[in-house]
Short mmCIF file of all heavy atoms in Angstrom, two decimals:
data_model
loop_
_atom_site.label_atom_id
_atom_site.label_comp_id
_atom_site.label_asym_id
_atom_site.label_seq_id
_atom_site.Cartn_x
_atom_site.Cartn_y
_atom_site.Cartn_z
N CYS A 40 3.90 -0.66 -19.62
CA CYS A 40 3.07 -0.96 -20.80
C CYS A 40 3.08 -2.47 -21.06
O CYS A 40 4.14 -3.13 -20.97
CB CYS A 40 3.63 -0.21 -22.02
SG CYS A 40 2.67 -0.48 -23.52
N HIS A 42 2.76 -3.88 -23.81
CA HIS A 42 3.37 -4.20 -25.10
C HIS A 42 4.86 -4.45 -24.95
O HIS A 42 5.42 -5.34 -25.55
CB HIS A 42 3.12 -3.06 -26.09
CG HIS A 42 3.73 -3.27 -27.43
ND1 HIS A 42 4.67 -2.44 -27.98
CD2 HIS A 42 3.55 -4.28 -28.34
CE1 HIS A 42 5.05 -2.90 -29.16
NE2 HIS A 42 4.38 -4.00 -29.40
N SER A 43 5.51 -3.61 -24.16
CA SER A 43 6.94 -3.78 -23.91
C SER A 43 7.26 -3.17 -22.54
O SER A 43 6.42 -3.22 -21.66
CB SER A 43 7.75 -3.12 -25.04
OG SER A 43 9.10 -3.48 -24.91
N GLU A 44 8.41 -2.56 -22.37
CA GLU A 44 8.83 -2.14 -21.03
C GLU A 44 8.72 -0.65 -20.78
O GLU A 44 9.30 -0.16 -19.84
CB GLU A 44 10.27 -2.60 -20.79
CG GLU A 44 10.44 -4.09 -20.68
CD GLU A 44 9.75 -4.70 -19.46
OE1 GLU A 44 10.02 -4.21 -18.34
OE2 GLU A 44 8.94 -5.61 -19.63
N ALA A 45 7.95 0.07 -21.58
CA ALA A 45 7.89 1.52 -21.39
C ALA A 45 7.04 1.90 -20.20
O ALA A 45 6.12 1.18 -19.79
CB ALA A 45 7.32 2.17 -22.65
N LEU A 47 4.23 4.00 -18.56
CA LEU A 47 3.03 4.73 -19.02
C LEU A 47 2.94 6.13 -18.43
O LEU A 47 2.43 7.04 -19.06
CB LEU A 47 1.78 3.94 -18.69
CG LEU A 47 1.60 2.62 -19.45
CD1 LEU A 47 0.32 1.92 -18.99
CD2 LEU A 47 1.57 2.85 -20.95
N CYS A 59 0.97 5.41 -24.43
CA CYS A 59 2.37 4.98 -24.25
C CYS A 59 3.25 5.78 -25.23
O CYS A 59 2.95 5.86 -26.41
CB CYS A 59 2.49 3.49 -24.52
SG CYS A 59 4.18 2.91 -24.36
N LEU A 61 6.14 5.07 -26.28
CA LEU A 61 7.06 4.32 -27.13
C LEU A 61 6.46 3.96 -28.49
O LEU A 61 7.04 4.25 -29.54
CB LEU A 61 7.53 3.07 -26.38
CG LEU A 61 8.76 2.37 -26.94
CD1 LEU A 61 9.91 3.33 -27.20
CD2 LEU A 61 9.24 1.28 -25.99
N HIS A 62 5.27 3.32 -28.50
CA HIS A 62 4.66 2.94 -29.77
C HIS A 62 3.21 3.41 -29.91
O HIS A 62 2.53 3.00 -30.83
CB HIS A 62 4.71 1.42 -29.98
CG HIS A 62 6.06 0.81 -29.77
ND1 HIS A 62 6.35 0.02 -28.68
CD2 HIS A 62 7.21 0.91 -30.50
CE1 HIS A 62 7.61 -0.35 -28.74
NE2 HIS A 62 8.16 0.17 -29.82
N GLY A 63 2.74 4.18 -28.94
CA GLY A 63 1.42 4.81 -29.11
C GLY A 63 0.21 4.03 -28.61
O GLY A 63 -0.92 4.45 -28.87
N ALA A 64 0.40 2.89 -27.95
CA ALA A 64 -0.76 2.16 -27.42
C ALA A 64 -1.46 3.05 -26.39
O ALA A 64 -0.83 3.84 -25.70
CB ALA A 64 -0.33 0.86 -26.78
N PRO A 77 -0.33 -0.95 -30.41
CA PRO A 77 -0.05 -2.40 -30.50
C PRO A 77 -0.27 -3.19 -29.21
O PRO A 77 -0.14 -4.41 -29.25
CB PRO A 77 1.44 -2.41 -30.90
CG PRO A 77 2.00 -1.17 -30.28
CD PRO A 77 0.91 -0.14 -30.40
N ALA A 78 -0.58 -2.56 -28.08
CA ALA A 78 -0.84 -3.34 -26.88
C ALA A 78 -2.21 -4.00 -26.99
O ALA A 78 -3.16 -3.39 -27.53
CB ALA A 78 -0.78 -2.44 -25.65
S1 FES B 101 5.90 -0.26 -25.29
FE1 FES B 101 4.01 0.73 -25.06
S2 FES B 101 3.15 0.64 -27.05
FE2 FES B 101 5.02 -0.43 -27.25
#
Side-chain angles (χ1 to χ4, degrees):
C40 181
H42 179 241
S43 190
E44 292 294 306
L47 292 179
C59 179
L61 196 50
H62 310 109

